Amino acid sequence: MDIPKFIQRNVSLASLTTFKIGGSAEYFVRALNLEILKQSLIWAKEKKLPFFILGGGSNILVSDKGFSGLVIKNELKKLEKRGDIIIAGSGVFLSEFLEFALVNELSGGEFLVGIPGTLGGAVFANAGLSNQFISNLVQSVYFLDYHSLKIRCYLNKDCDFSYRYSCFQEKQGVITQIELKMKNSSQDKIKALMAEYRQKRANLPSLPSAGCVFKNINLKEIPPSSLEKIKKEFGFPEEFCKKGVLPVSWLLDRMGFKGKTIGKAQVSQKHANFIVNLGGATADDVLILISLIKQKVRTKFGLQLCEEIVYLA
Ligand SMILES: Cc1cc2nc3c(=O)[nH]c(=O)nc-3n(C[C@H](O)[C@H](O)[C@H](O)COP(=O)(O)OP(=O)(O)OC[C@H]3O[C@@H](n4cnc5c(N)ncnc54)[C@H](O)[C@@H]3O)c2cc1C
């Protein structure tokens, strides 16, 4: 197969993920600019190869066998400001975006502090904390469509944002640029807010993970019989009713999953919705642990958990 110079072969992916798990990409490219990104997609198309867009690798589990296709590591790093709007390449890390916002005295994104992904990955998953989402800041998203190879601008209302969801999860292509509407503020106020949010995350697991494994569940989506069983077994804090959400970490904690270990993958002792890599965990270890948790929750409460993490296989 003729391979363009910018594409590498058999690149290990484990070190490019926060889980530190997984095999190699058969083909791999660092998309440093739009031109390389486009050329890579064209090449994958010509060769009929599947492709995967990799941001910070902080929400994915890569198969032990790796990926027989092209992994495109998004490194589009533009960062500009126009008044109170920040225009950012999708490969900009949230930490880089927050630093830029701080220097320019632009507030609004502080709740994203400590989330180890890129802006593209954050928009894809509508990342956030409690009831704050990146969608609250997004003004528009530029998306390179795999089929037409054209870039289309999506206004916030076109992105169908909801809890951990955006329309980009249904599309083939790449989020290339995001425009975020900020508020003018002062460095002191922004630093204080960031410190507050950092404090909230102080007890999160520090071992390698991919963040929360499962999505929290909207109370409206829980069958009444399941809710009754949960209430009978564990009681039900009033605040969950107020927020209208069942935090999966609470349920898994009550069910005694903390510390449950398969191979070198463990349900974190600090947070029951995190699976951590104790060192040398395989993707299979994690997958077995995930299916065991799902099966027990289904059998006991008739409730189907949905993964927040994305599988790359
Ligand atoms: C310690 C820890 C704490 C975390 N805390 C939080 C939290 O508080 N809130 C939260 O919401 N999440 C949290 N996460 C999960 C994760 O950081 C976020 O979901 C983040 O937004 C993922 O971004 P990423 O760039 O790492 O995406 P990746 O993991 O690289 O990719 C995830 C998915 O997004 C797609 N994708 C990425 N970039 C693009 C793009 N440019 N175009 C199209 N598709 C793209 C990928 O193809 C993949 O399907 C946490 C993770 C860890 C490890």
Side-chain angles (χ1 to χ4, degrees):
M1 192 187 288
D2 50 320
I3 303 171
K5 269 197 215 128
F6 51 82
I7 290 178
Q8 299 167 253
R9 291 209 65 169
N10 299 322
V11 172
S12 168
L13 295 173
S15 65
L16 300 174
T17 72
T18 52
F19 236 147
K20 308 293 173 212
I21 290 176
S24 297
E26 188 176 6
Y27 301 100
F28 179 87
V29 59
R30 285 186 188 277
L32 299 164
N33 55 50
L34 263 182
E35 197 43 42
I36 298 181
L37 183 59
K38 262 192 188 172
Q39 290 309 319
S40 305
L41 283 182
I42 292 171
W43 183 76
K45 212 171 186 178
E46 275 172 12
K47 303 297 173 201
K48 298 192 169 48
L49 282 171
F51 70 93
F52 184 86
I53 309 301
L54 179 64
S58 64
N59 208 22
I60 60 168
L61 177 64
V62 180
S63 150
D64 296 319
K65 293 198 182 91
F67 180 63
S68 308
L70 175 66
V71 169
I72 302 175
K73 172 96 173 84
N74 172 21
E75 297 194 354
L76 301 175
K77 292 284 192 185
K78 163 178 165 173
L79 254 178
E80 280 173 22
K81 98 178 184 88
R82 198 189 303 140
D84 59 1
I85 309 274
I86 293 182
I87 303 156
S90 55
V92 168
F93 274 89
L94 293 169
S95 54
E96 296 167 330
F97 158 70
L98 290 176
E99 182 57 33
F100 183 81
L102 173 66
V103 169
N104 288 287
E105 305 199 300
L106 291 171
S107 175
E110 295 82 3
F111 64 95
L112 297 165
V113 78
I115 303 180
T118 60
L119 275 167
V123 167
F124 182 88
N126 196 13
L129 184 72
S130 302
N131 57 352
Q132 288 178 289
F133 303 96
I134 192 159
S135 56
N136 301 344
L137 304 175
V138 170
Q139 196 167 54
S140 49
V141 177
Y142 290 79
F143 183 79
L144 172 61
D145 183 82
Y146 168 74
H147 301 285
S148 66
L149 291 170
K150 292 211 169 79
I151 292 181
R152 179 184 153 187
C153 172
Y154 289 74
L155 298 179
N156 183 304
K157 66 180 171 55
D158 305 323
C159 298
D160 291 343
F161 285 121
S162 60
Y163 169 71
R164 300 294 177 267
Y165 180 81
S166 74
C167 71
F168 306 105
Q169 294 178 14
E170 317 291 338
K171 298 184 189 301
Q172 277 196 298
V174 192
I175 296 164
T176 55
Q177 183 173 299
I178 299 126
E179 293 181 358
L180 304 110
K181 175 104 170 78
M182 313 295 286
K183 288 182 294 255
N184 289 306
S185 183
S186 70
Q187 289 209 357
D188 286 347
K189 282 187 186 154
I190 296 172
K191 277 185 188 162
L193 271 177
M194 282 171 84
E196 234 175 77
Y197 284 107
R198 211 172 274 121
Q199 187 55 36
K200 286 189 184 175
R201 306 178 71 86
N203 287 328
L204 285 184
S206 51
L207 286 168
S209 76
C212 285
V213 174
F214 302 106
K215 291 181 188 172
N216 292 327
I217 311 171
N218 191 316
L219 293 189
K220 288 187 190 133
E221 284 161 17
I222 301 181
S225 59
S226 303
L227 203 53
E228 271 319 301
K229 279 186 196 158
I230 294 171
K231 283 181 180 169
K232 208 170 153 197
E233 181 97 12
F234 303 127
F236 207 72
E238 186 56 30
E239 58 166 310
F240 297 171
C241 298
K242 273 190 208 143
K243 288 184 181 163
V245 169
L246 171 68
V248 169
S249 61
W250 176 86
L251 181 65
L252 300 185
D253 188 6
R254 292 297 178 286
M255 290 180 73
F257 279 112
K258 275 185 177 170
K260 176 76 193 160
T261 307
I262 300 282
K264 293 287 183 186
Q266 183 176 72
V267 176
S268 168
Q269 305 272 8
K270 291 184 169 177
H271 191 301
N273 199 9
F274 272 55
I275 290 179
V276 293
N277 177 358
L278 298 173
T282 62
D284 282 348
D285 292 339
V286 178
L287 286 172
I288 294 168
L289 197 46
I290 288 175
S291 65
L292 188 131
I293 293 168
K294 288 178 80 170
Q295 194 201 340
K296 288 210 165 160
V297 172
R298 202 167 45 232
T299 309
K300 199 163 171 64
F301 297 114
L303 202 58
Q304 184 64 41
L305 295 181
C306 283
E307 285 88 332
E308 186 174 323
I309 58 171
V310 174
Y311 296 115
L312 174 55

